[in-house]
Amino acid sequence: TTVLSSGVACPSPTAITGMRVLCNAVKDAGSRAQLLSESGRVSALLSAAAKQTSSGHKLVRGALAALLTNLVHAQSTLPAGLSATIVQIALSLLTAETESTDVIVRCCLAIGTLAMTGEFKSTGGQGQLADVCAKVNSVKQAWVTKLGDKSVCVDELMHILKR
């Protein structure tokens, strides 16, 4: 966490490797249990990883988006209240992204999955939900040409959020 939390000062290969290790740890049941066994560990890891949202390297941002997606898919074992943090990080990535459609799609998948479970809506409140919708719509307008067929993912997220 110390290296990742240094933000853009963290060398890109180190940040990519660190987040990929975390992605794999979250996917494996045994590693996930170990990772989640200590209270606050995932929050600390997310706080550190979130400092990479402004990385100038699209593969670093892609690794962070993959980590968010993997965490969301493991959400039945995540500590309560982590959804709002994941949504905040995903929105930061979405609104700052300038070159990677992969980051856009993965962030939409993370937010949409949380919205489908109802946890995001139950913890976020209507004000935050309206803010998320506005930001996602803005991203869609800016990325519609670059996304091509992948814009369906953004459309589906908007549909889920408006339910």
Side-chain angles (χ1 to χ4, degrees):
T1 56
T2 304
V3 175
L4 283 176
S5 66
S6 63
V8 294
C10 176
S12 295
T14 304
I16 293 167
T17 302
M19 284 189 278
R20 285 293 185 204
V21 166
L22 291 172
C23 282
N24 290 336
V26 171
K27 287 171 57 175
D28 177 71
S31 297
R32 182 174 53 244
Q34 181 66 31
L35 183 68
L36 299 173
S37 67
E38 188 178 309
S39 177
R41 183 181 289 173
V42 175
S43 293
L45 288 171
L46 271 178
S47 293
K51 299 214 164 101
Q52 297 299 322
T53 57
S54 59
S55 171
H57 200 291
K58 72 179 180 180
L59 293 178
V60 171
R61 296 186 311 274
L64 177 55
L67 176 60
L68 296 176
T69 304
N70 287 1
L71 281 168
V72 165
H73 288 287
Q75 78 181 38
S76 63
T77 56
L78 287 178
L82 205 56
S83 296
T85 303
I86 291 172
V87 169
Q88 284 179 329
I89 296 169
L91 283 175
S92 293
L93 278 170
L94 269 176
T95 56
E97 189 55 46
T98 59
E99 57 185 320
S100 175
T101 57
D102 183 55
V103 170
I104 300 296
V105 170
R106 287 177 189 259
C107 288
C108 287
L109 287 172
I111 295 169
T113 301
L114 288 172
M116 288 289 291
T117 65
E119 183 177 339
F120 168 63
K121 288 183 179 180
S122 68
T123 61
Q126 289 302 321
Q128 186 181 12
L129 187 59
D131 184 50
V132 171
C133 286
K135 287 179 179 177
V136 170
N137 193 44
S138 174
V139 166
K140 180 186 176 190
Q141 299 308 314
W143 279 82
V144 70
T145 307
K146 290 181 187 177
L147 284 170
D149 292 344
K150 295 177 184 176
S151 67
V152 170
C153 184
V154 181
D155 291 336
E156 187 62 27
L157 173 58
M158 290 299 293
H159 177 72
I160 292 167
L161 291 172
K162 290 180 179 179
R163 281 201 242 167

